[in-house]
Amino acid sequence: EVPFDEKLRREHLRALDEGRHVDLAKTQGSYSLMGTFLTLSSSLTATRTEGRTPKCERQVKLESATAWERSTSEEVQFRAITMIWKPSGKLVPDKRNPRQVSLRRNPFKQGAMRNVYHLFDDTTTPHQHLVAKDSRYRETYKDRLAYHLFGISCQNHARLVASRFNSCLQDKMQNISSATLAALSDSEGKLLLSSLKRLPGCVRFLACSVFRLEDENSPGGMRYLSTERYVDEQFEGSFEKFNNNNGHTHPLVGTGEA
């Protein structure tokens, strides 16, 4: 059977040869981008949960997403270090750069698999605002780091794929010369330029890291959190989630606007 990505590639090339637009949501066979997102999302959730997710859920009380703006009384200070991800598939502590961080006591959001907290790296000037995530469930001692290793490995792979996509996009943009545009009719040229304007300038994935906090209330005296930069929608635009761990996909998935 021909792999799905090879089907997409062949359909794309065939469309280019025939001078037509290819709708990736309606490729040959029974595949669709919507179906692919659903399959990947469901499979990933099953992989994470099957046989290893503890039954004991952490009892937490959600706070307002903006509670951090009003008071620091609900913040707890910890000494911490960053765990460095190695391509070999390990997370090792970076003891050369100790940190002081402030973590909100309660998460401001809860997903299917994670609790999400506001975290501030007090070592930097100004203090860096981060989002910290840990398991919604009480992981076994042996899985406490493996849980974060899986997530950060996926994130780093996504960043690599995004980088390759950006490179291919730039190459295609550069290959459209003025001579190419001159050979087109006015309507064709306007259509091409209009299509190019709708292309994303680049695709970015947030850098993800793991912090190890010295926490006497955690197994082994250590608590691990996956962290990434906090995205402030007030200044950086609204956040749109296209799929999640419960099989949900955004209505735009499979359309030209996604």
Side-chain angles (χ1 to χ4, degrees):
E1 183 178 353
V2 179
F4 175 58
D5 56 351
E6 179 63 17
K7 285 177 177 284
L8 285 179
R9 190 185 73 83
R10 292 181 183 180
E11 177 67 12
H12 192 159
L13 291 176
R14 188 180 301 111
L16 291 177
D17 290 339
E18 297 173 0
R20 60 182 175 83
H21 168 72
V22 58
D23 185 349
L24 295 180
K26 298 177 181 178
T27 53
Q28 290 184 347
S30 59
Y31 298 98
S32 70
L33 288 185
M34 176 70 79
T36 303
F37 269 107
L38 286 170
T39 301
L40 287 175
S41 180
S42 300
S43 298
L44 186 57
T45 299
T47 300
R48 288 174 173 171
T49 58
E50 185 175 350
R52 63 178 299 272
T53 299
K55 295 181 180 180
C56 182
E57 182 175 349
R58 300 177 190 272
Q59 298 302 310
V60 298
K61 179 181 179 181
L62 294 181
E63 69 173 10
S64 164
T66 58
W68 66 272
E69 298 176 342
R70 298 189 294 272
S71 171
T72 60
S73 62
E74 292 299 309
E75 293 178 5
V76 183
Q77 283 71 44
F78 297 93
R79 288 191 296 180
I81 58 174
T82 304
M83 304 294 289
I84 302 176
W85 181 79
K86 298 290 186 180
S88 59
K90 293 183 178 180
L91 285 169
V92 297
D94 181 12
K95 298 181 179 180
R96 301 168 300 174
N97 297 302
R99 299 174 180 276
Q100 188 76 21
V101 300
S102 298
L103 178 70
R104 299 289 298 183
R105 293 183 188 276
N106 299 311
F108 69 92
K109 188 173 292 186
Q110 189 175 66
M113 301 297 298
R114 299 180 178 90
N115 292 321
V116 188
Y117 301 78
H118 287 289
L119 176 75
F120 301 91
D121 186 350
D122 302 331
T123 311
T124 61
T125 304
H127 296 173
Q128 187 177 20
H129 190 174
L130 302 169
V131 170
K133 304 175 182 179
D134 67 0
S135 176
R136 181 170 171 172
Y137 302 90
R138 296 187 183 279
E139 297 288 333
T140 61
Y141 184 77
K142 67 182 181 65
D143 285 334
R144 70 195 190 286
L145 190 54
Y147 173 84
H148 295 288
L149 179 61
F150 177 81
I152 198 172
S153 298
C154 290
Q155 191 82 350
N156 282 324
H157 182 71
R159 293 184 69 198
L160 175 62
V161 173
S163 176
R164 291 177 177 175
F165 172 83
N166 294 336
S167 179
C168 291
L169 181 62
Q170 291 173 3
D171 289 343
K172 289 185 178 295
M173 295 286 285
Q174 293 172 357
N175 289 335
I176 301 176
S177 63
S178 55
T180 300
L181 293 175
L184 299 174
S185 66
D186 289 342
S187 59
E188 291 173 331
K190 290 180 180 179
L191 179 61
L192 176 59
L193 291 175
S194 176
S195 299
L196 293 177
K197 289 179 180 179
R198 291 198 300 270
L199 289 175
C202 66
V203 175
R204 292 186 298 125
F205 272 83
L206 294 175
C208 181
S209 59
V210 174
F211 279 16
R212 189 180 76 181
L213 280 55
E214 296 182 13
D215 182 5
E216 61 182 11
N217 296 317
S218 297
M222 301 293 178
R223 181 180 180 182
Y224 295 90
L225 297 170
S226 298
T227 66
E228 59 191 47
R229 182 175 62 84
Y230 172 70
V231 177
D232 192 334
E233 295 188 17
Q234 181 178 355
F235 300 103
E236 301 185 59
S238 61
F239 174 79
E240 293 285 349
K241 192 164 187 175
F242 282 83
N243 69 319
N244 65 16
N245 291 322
N246 284 331
H248 165 77
T249 57
H250 194 286
L252 288 178
V253 172
T255 72
E257 298 299 320

